[in-house]
Amino acid sequence: MNTYTKSFRLVLNSYPSLMDTFLNDFSKAKESNLPAVNIAETPNEFNLELAVPGIKKETIKVNIDNNTLTISNIKDEALKERKDNFKRTEFNYTSFERPFQLPKTVDVDNIEATYEDGVLHVKLPKNEEAKRLRSRD
């Protein structure tokens, strides 16, 4: 086993809930209407990006309850009523809800979300204890 594989396993074992959620839900997202997600880690935070092109910022909800981050969108009813004499319509904007179980190392009181160019960016800062433990490694 090379050093990269050992390091990757250490990260997975250190933050099982966020990584498990991502890895287990990955195939579901590919087969459903769930938006694609990227998750990256730095020494001080996790960065989550959701691809949500064409969705209005105002309809995206970010909620945290019991260490579960839930990102959802409610279908815009105005699109349902549109009948502009189309011969064919392929645009499909559906509601979604995507939960992520957060590790205990995330400082849930300081999570930030921004929306730009069809991508929702969520910063999940690590708490001070996690940063101290990380600096000892």
Side-chain angles (χ1 to χ4, degrees), residues 26-73:
F26 183 73
S27 62
K28 290 181 196 173
K30 288 282 194 190
E31 298 170 5
S32 71
N33 290 326
L34 291 176
V37 65
N38 293 330
I39 299 175
E41 180 184 13
T42 70
N44 295 321
E45 65 192 14
F46 291 99
N47 291 295
L48 189 139
E49 299 173 327
L50 253 77
V52 287
I55 294 176
K56 294 178 186 174
K57 175 181 166 180
E58 298 78 27
T59 65
I60 299 171
K61 304 292 181 222
V62 178
N63 187 41
I64 300 163
D65 187 32
N66 288 332
N67 255 31
T68 299
L69 170 71
T70 303
I71 300 171
S72 60
N73 175 62

Side-chain angles (χ1 to χ4, degrees), residues 108-121:
V108 295
D109 294 326
N110 290 305
I111 292 174
E112 297 176 14
T114 57
Y115 180 78
E116 184 180 347
D117 297 331
V119 178
L120 178 69
H121 301 270

